[in-house]
Amino acid sequence: MLLQIDLQSEVPIYTQLVHNIIEGIARKELLPGEALPSVRSMAADLGINLHTVNKAYNILKQDGFVQVNRKQGAVIHPASFPLADEQYQLRLQEQMRPLIAEAICRGMSSEQFKVISEQIYSQFSIGEEKEDG
Amino acid sequence: MLLQIDLQSEVPIYTQLVHNIIEGIARKELLPGEALPSVRSMAADLGINLHTVNKAYNILKQDGFVQVNRKQGAVIHPASFPLADEQYQLRLQEQMRPLIAEAICRGMSSEQFKVISEQIYSQFSIGEEKEDG
Amino acid sequence: MLLQIDLQSEVPIYTQLVHNIIEGIARKELLPGEALPSVRSMAADLGINLHTVNKAYNILKQDGFVQVNRKQGAVIHPASFPLADEQYQLRLQEQMRPLIAEAICRGMSSEQFKVISEQIYSQFSIGEEKEDG
Amino acid sequence: MLLQIDLQSEVPIYTQLVHNIIEGIARKELLPGEALPSVRSMAADLGINLHTVNKAYNILKQDGFVQVNRKQGAVIHPASFPLADEQYQLRLQEQMRPLIAEAICRGMSSEQFKVISEQIYSQFSIGEEKEDG
DNA sequence: GTGGTCTAGACCACG
DNA sequence: GTGGTCTAGACCACT
């Protein structure tokens, strides 16, 4: 698992960490039940403070993506991830609306937008479809 | 033009303002050349600080969505909006990637995601489908 | 609002703060919409670190008891408090079960337990019932 | 005696163990004089550390619920359990107050609360109501 | 060795 | 002046 943190970004480090880990899960590089590095070791690896890592882990725990085991530290949630329920879909729409509004202003059609979405989707499923066949 | 500001939101007010105006443009409620309310009146209407409105207008100006004249104040850019160039598309992908990653983790398929995108797109083009025909 | 913090207690300070504020709401000393002290001033008043106060406020925010306004700081949630839904009742039962189990072992009857509950309830509604009459 | 340990819980494992055993006593599944499993076997059964079981047993001993002999190991206190003295009642009230405060905030009446208490009480006395008659 | 808690001090975004 | 973020270092509870 390769984590890419941009210390200069306006996006908070702990948010970047959360995103990185969720993307790792989506890419199936991080599998259910898999242990995450301890806050100390990850902080050392990234050259950041352990509290920053801790905050990211706690957000992921609260969102249901990881469990924080008493002895083992943090592990990817072994059983189930949170579902795409109505509440989530509403939140997603709230997040997408400004992006789509700007896309429209810049003359991007719905089809172009869907192509971009499709591209990103395919980035997360490289080498998967064949395995089922 | 109805502006909806949520003071409890984690999204900064000036960002909400920027989003609201871009959405107004996308919805064609704000037309090229149209004047925006003065900083003072909009701040009074929304019960927020002058600086906040000013900051939003400056961002929109910098992004090329509005022009700021001494006389007229801020107007929707009368000539051209910024294009969906490569730089923009890269930025858009950066913004969409974490959203799509979470959607994948929650079991949302590419098709479902495109349906949601389509829905939002259609919200911005009510009553103008005929224009393409 | 008088806050009583026991620095020697095994209960974390931020938890004591959360309890204190919820009890203040229950006692109607803290009314909906009322502003809480800023994290800095409360931390100074109690002689603790502002981060500890911050953590307490964030928990209360997450639980829906306070709103954190962008300019005003923290205020008691002006509209509605979280409800006693099924999920809450299950959590409450989980918290009560060990207490009641020990009470049973010590020979306390259901009636005695209810008397104690009633006493605590009445501590939160001193001087209220008369106002309705 | 079925012990249910939740490794993901925020409640320390030794505390969960203490609760489980006290609940077993309250449910009369564990009778006075009955031997508890050895530290070693219980730790093995639950897949937890020896020290953790040991700590739980020591707390129970200190509270007067079990006796620890060199030969037999730990046994449920054969003679008398600790009483519901004033000191205990004060502690109980301290533990209940925050729970009741939150219940009040969530709109739960004293009657509703007593119903829940009654339900939990009845869970501990299944099949023994006749003994009082 | 793990995370949890607390302290202290700093800078920044926001309004 | 407000909370948000990050750092640094410390102690403790748990296992």
Side-chain angles (χ1 to χ4, degrees):
Chain A
M1 178 73 193
L2 199 75
L3 294 180
Q4 296 181 340
I5 299 297
D6 178 5
L7 298 177
Q8 310 309 324
S9 168
E10 62 175 349
V11 181
I13 297 176
Y14 73 86
T15 302
Q16 294 183 50
L17 258 179
V18 169
H19 287 171
N20 265 284
I21 291 171
I22 290 181
E23 290 171 16
I25 297 174
R27 209 178 283 111
K28 296 205 180 7
E29 287 175 13
L30 294 173
L31 298 175
E34 186 171 343
L36 290 169
S38 75
V39 288
R40 281 177 178 80
S41 69
M42 175 164 284
D45 281 358
L46 298 174
I48 61 178
N49 191 280
L50 87 174
H51 291 120
T52 307
V53 180
N54 204 10
K55 182 163 187 176
Y57 279 14
N58 274 321
I59 290 175
L60 288 164
K61 169 188 170 189
Q62 183 186 333
D63 287 351
F65 288 107
V66 311
Q67 280 184 344
V68 176
N69 202 310
R70 200 162 278 278
K71 58 169 68 168
Q72 205 177 350
V75 301
I76 305 295
H77 199 297
S80 63
F81 290 133
L83 297 178
D85 57 9
E86 194 175 358
Q87 186 184 0
Y88 164 71
Q89 292 199 22
L90 283 175
R91 176 162 66 82
L92 178 60
Q93 288 190 31
E94 289 302 312
Q95 291 171 320
M96 300 254 310
R97 185 179 302 119
L99 299 182
I100 289 184
E102 181 169 358
I104 291 175
C105 291
R106 288 173 182 267
M108 186 178 283
S109 72
S110 174
E111 279 68 31
Q112 287 174 291
F113 189 86
K114 282 192 274 191
V115 167
I116 288 184
S117 303
E118 187 64 48
Q119 284 175 358
I120 300 173
Y121 249 92
S122 64
Q123 289 171 12
F124 286 111
S125 52
I126 294 175
E128 273 189 50
E129 286 116 14
K130 298 297 175 58
E131 295 178 6
D132 293 338
Chain B
M1 179 72 193
L2 196 75
L3 293 179
Q4 296 183 339
I5 299 297
D6 178 5
L7 296 177
Q8 262 68 47
S9 169
E10 62 177 353
V11 180
I13 296 176
Y14 75 85
T15 304
Q16 293 184 50
L17 258 180
V18 168
H19 287 171
N20 264 286
I21 290 170
I22 290 181
E23 289 171 18
I25 297 174
R27 209 179 284 111
K28 298 205 177 9
E29 288 173 12
L30 295 173
L31 297 175
E34 186 171 342
L36 289 170
S38 74
V39 170
R40 195 165 281 103
S41 70
M42 174 163 286
D45 280 359
L46 298 174
I48 61 179
N49 197 297
L50 287 176
H51 303 334
T52 308
V53 181
N54 217 352
K55 183 164 187 175
Y57 280 11
N58 278 327
I59 290 175
L60 287 163
K61 174 188 171 191
Q62 187 180 336
D63 286 352
F65 288 106
V66 311
Q67 280 184 340
V68 179
N69 304 326
R70 292 206 181 279
K71 291 185 182 178
Q72 288 181 274
V75 300
I76 305 296
H77 200 295
S80 65
F81 288 136
L83 297 178
D85 57 11
E86 195 173 358
Q87 185 187 0
Y88 164 73
Q89 291 199 23
L90 283 175
R91 176 163 66 82
L92 179 60
Q93 289 192 31
E94 289 301 312
Q95 291 170 319
M96 298 261 305
R97 186 180 301 119
L99 299 182
I100 289 182
E102 181 168 359
I104 290 174
C105 290
R106 288 175 182 267
M108 187 178 281
S109 71
S110 174
E111 279 67 32
Q112 289 173 294
F113 190 86
K114 281 191 275 192
V115 168
I116 287 184
S117 303
E118 187 64 47
Q119 283 174 358
I120 300 173
Y121 250 91
S122 65
Q123 289 170 13
F124 286 111
S125 53
I126 293 175
E128 54 167 302
E129 288 99 11
K130 298 298 174 58
E131 295 179 9
D132 294 338
Chain C
M1 179 71 193
L2 197 74
L3 294 179
Q4 296 181 341
I5 299 297
D6 177 6
L7 298 178
Q8 308 311 324
S9 168
E10 61 176 350
V11 180
I13 298 177
Y14 73 87
T15 302
Q16 294 184 48
L17 258 178
V18 169
H19 287 170
N20 265 284
I21 291 171
I22 290 181
E23 290 171 15
I25 297 173
R27 209 177 285 113
K28 298 207 177 10
E29 288 175 13
L30 294 173
L31 298 175
E34 186 170 341
L36 290 170
S38 75
V39 288
R40 280 177 179 79
S41 69
M42 174 165 285
D45 282 357
L46 298 174
I48 60 178
N49 192 280
L50 89 173
H51 291 119
T52 307
V53 180
N54 204 11
K55 183 163 186 176
Y57 279 15
N58 274 322
I59 290 175
L60 288 164
K61 170 187 170 189
Q62 182 186 333
D63 286 352
F65 289 108
V66 312
Q67 280 184 342
V68 177
N69 201 311
R70 201 163 276 281
K71 58 170 67 167
Q72 204 177 349
V75 300
I76 305 295
H77 199 297
S80 63
F81 290 132
L83 297 178
D85 57 9
E86 194 175 359
Q87 186 184 1
Y88 164 72
Q89 293 199 21
L90 284 175
R91 177 163 64 83
L92 178 61
Q93 289 190 30
E94 289 301 311
Q95 291 170 321
M96 300 254 309
R97 186 179 302 118
L99 300 182
I100 288 183
E102 182 169 358
I104 290 174
C105 291
R106 288 174 183 266
M108 187 179 281
S109 72
S110 175
E111 280 66 31
Q112 287 174 292
F113 190 86
K114 281 191 275 192
V115 168
I116 287 184
S117 303
E118 186 64 47
Q119 283 174 359
I120 301 173
Y121 249 93
S122 64
Q123 288 171 13
F124 286 111
S125 52
I126 294 174
E128 274 189 48
E129 285 117 13
K130 299 297 175 57
E131 295 178 7
D132 294 338
Chain D
M1 179 72 193
L2 198 74
L3 293 179
Q4 296 183 340
I5 299 297
D6 178 5
L7 296 176
Q8 264 67 47
S9 169
E10 61 178 352
V11 181
I13 296 177
Y14 76 87
T15 303
Q16 294 184 50
L17 258 179
V18 168
H19 287 171
N20 265 285
I21 291 171
I22 290 181
E23 290 170 18
I25 297 174
R27 210 179 283 110
K28 299 207 179 2
E29 288 174 14
L30 295 173
L31 298 174
E34 187 172 343
L36 290 170
S38 74
V39 172
R40 197 166 279 106
S41 70
M42 175 163 285
D45 280 359
L46 298 174
I48 61 180
N49 196 296
L50 287 175
H51 303 334
T52 308
V53 181
N54 218 351
K55 183 163 186 175
Y57 280 12
N58 279 326
I59 290 175
L60 288 164
K61 173 187 170 190
Q62 188 180 337
D63 286 351
F65 289 107
V66 309
Q67 278 184 341
V68 179
N69 306 326
R70 293 204 181 279
K71 293 184 181 177
Q72 288 180 274
V75 300
I76 305 296
H77 199 296
S80 65
F81 289 137
L83 297 178
D85 57 10
E86 194 174 359
Q87 185 186 0
Y88 164 72
Q89 292 199 21
L90 284 175
R91 176 163 65 83
L92 178 60
Q93 289 191 30
E94 288 302 310
Q95 291 170 319
M96 298 260 305
R97 187 180 301 119
L99 299 182
I100 289 184
E102 181 167 359
I104 291 175
C105 291
R106 288 175 183 267
M108 186 177 283
S109 71
S110 174
E111 280 66 33
Q112 288 173 293
F113 191 85
K114 282 190 275 191
V115 167
I116 288 184
S117 304
E118 187 64 48
Q119 283 175 0
I120 300 173
Y121 250 92
S122 65
Q123 289 171 14
F124 286 110
S125 53
I126 294 175
E128 54 168 300
E129 288 99 11
K130 297 298 173 55
E131 295 179 10
D132 294 338

